[in-house]
Amino acid sequence: MSIPANALSDEECLHYAALDPAAAAELTRRFTSQSIDPSAEREELREDIRRLESQASDDEDELENLRDGAAEACQWIKRAMDPDDRELSLNELLQKSARLPGVMP
């Protein structure tokens, strides 16, 4: 059973062209009739790449902030567990560790 190639969206047509001869023929027809603009498709992909790179950068920044907060929380917790380090009470030390970003919701 063949894919109804004329019913495919441009994106689906691009995807299925390598898998189905009817989709490949439909893709060729659309290219030759100029109903698909390859440069517009390329620009959309570039925009997607820029968006994904930006999101990855934002995620990396957030992850670094979470790591920093977790490391600082660990230091406060270690101080809370050290009986020789009692400049602050146990509750104060644990509260400081819990207030750090990314440690407690």
Side-chain angles (χ1 to χ4, degrees):
M1 183 170 152
S2 183
I3 298 170
N6 60 344
L8 296 174
S9 69
D10 290 346
E11 187 175 319
E12 291 169 333
C13 203
L14 287 167
H15 175 76
Y16 288 115
L19 306 172
D20 186 273
E26 179 63 17
L27 182 62
T28 302
R29 186 194 67 73
R30 291 181 190 184
F31 276 134
T32 56
S33 69
Q34 298 181 350
S35 66
I36 292 180
D37 181 8
S39 62
E41 295 291 330
R42 184 177 56 236
E43 188 54 38
E44 282 184 38
L45 290 173
R46 285 184 178 147
E47 287 176 21
D48 288 346
I49 289 169
R50 283 190 289 272
R51 183 183 50 77
L52 290 170
E53 287 173 340
S54 176
Q55 181 64 45
S57 177
D58 292 347
D59 290 347
E60 184 62 34
D61 292 344
E62 184 179 348
L63 181 58
E64 190 60 35
N65 289 338
L66 290 172
R67 283 185 185 132
D68 291 345
E72 190 174 342
C74 286
Q75 290 174 346
W76 287 111
I77 292 169
K78 285 178 186 176
R79 283 184 65 186
M81 294 172 57
D82 184 357
D84 297 329
D85 189 354
R86 288 291 182 236
E87 114 186 16
L88 298 173
S89 75
L90 178 62
N91 278 342
E92 289 172 319
L93 290 167
L94 292 175
Q95 286 173 355
K96 283 188 174 287
S97 72
R99 284 193 209 121
L100 295 168
V103 177
M104 298 290 276

